Amino acid sequence: MISKDLEKLLNEQYNLELASGHAYLAMMAWFQDKSWDGFAHFMKLQAEEEYEHACKFFDFMGDTGLRTIVDAMPKPEADFASVRKVFEAALKHEQDVTAAIHHLYDKALEEKSFETMEFLHWFLKEQVEEEDTMQTILDKIDQLDGSDYGIYILDKELGQREE
Ligand code: MG
């Protein structure tokens, strides 16, 4: 039996994953507008991944007899000063999601909701990967030291993302 408090947090996380998808679509649109097609492709796959995350919450809630409520989405940040600023925003976003997952896990632990804890293990691991992905891109941008040609190559590289 999952408590009302925990149900509320699970529902909030479902909506945060959807909002993550929206945030990445807005980044994709910014890149597309600037003809950074590789970065736009990368963000498209990133957005799709977030909707898959939301579906995992949807399924878990359904399986445990909870009803998912779809909330209004906040308007995502749509204007960025540079390519680096987009990935900075992406890293910050993932750090916020990690904090939300930790809060949710903490609540599940407190309530001894073992099924919820087991379900969240996948997300704990996923968040390590998400933060690492964004941090690695930022590190690469820094290594380029302002080289426009380097950014051009990075755009091509991220355009090769397959999943
Ligand atoms: Mg996510």
Side-chain angles (χ1 to χ4, degrees), residues 6 18 26 60 66 78 81 83 99 102 111 114 128 156:
L6 191 51
L18 287 184
F60 178 72
L66 307 177
V83 170
H102 286 180
E111 297 195 1
F114 303 114
V128 171
K156 295 274 173 243

Side-chain angles (χ1 to χ4, degrees), residues 13 16-17 20 49-50 53-54 94 97 123 126-127 130:
Q13 192 63 40
L16 182 57
E17 299 295 342
S20 300
E49 209 176 88
E50 298 306 335
H53 293 171
E94 290 302 335
V97 171
F123 283 92
E126 176 70 8
Q127 283 313 117
E130 297 281 42

Side-chain angles (χ1 to χ4, degrees), residues 122-152:
W122 185 89
F123 283 92
L124 290 172
K125 194 160 164 272
E126 176 70 8
Q127 283 313 117
V128 171
E129 285 176 21
E130 297 281 42
E131 288 191 30
D132 179 56
T133 298
M134 299 309 172
Q135 185 63 60
T136 300
I137 294 169
L138 284 170
D139 290 345
K140 284 189 182 187
I141 291 173
D142 290 345
Q143 286 159 9
L144 297 173
D145 205 18
S147 158
D148 289 340
Y149 183 67
I151 297 290
Y152 171 83

Side-chain angles (χ1 to χ4, degrees), residues 24-112:
Y24 289 127
L25 286 185
M27 292 175 192
M28 173 189 165
W30 187 86
F31 282 130
Q32 185 192 50
D33 186 52
K34 304 278 184 289
S35 295
W36 291 113
D37 294 340
F39 294 135
H41 169 78
F42 175 90
M43 287 302 175
K44 177 172 184 275
L45 295 193
Q46 191 65 28
E48 286 173 0
E49 209 176 88
E50 298 306 335
Y51 295 118
E52 285 171 18
H53 293 171
C55 283
K56 283 180 188 286
F57 276 92
F58 184 87
D59 289 343
F60 178 72
M61 292 182 76
D63 289 348
T64 52
L66 307 177
R67 180 177 169 187
T68 306
I69 306 290
V70 182
D71 288 335
M73 291 295 117
K75 190 175 187 304
E77 190 177 352
D79 289 309
F80 303 91
S82 65
V83 170
R84 194 183 198 288
K85 290 289 180 194
V86 183
F87 287 101
E88 280 175 26
L91 177 60
K92 171 72 172 63
H93 186 81
E94 290 302 335
Q95 289 168 337
D96 290 346
V97 171
T98 300
I101 296 279
H102 286 180
H103 179 59
L104 184 49
Y105 193 90
D106 202 32
K107 187 72 184 164
L109 182 64
E110 183 191 313
E111 297 195 1
K112 293 190 166 49

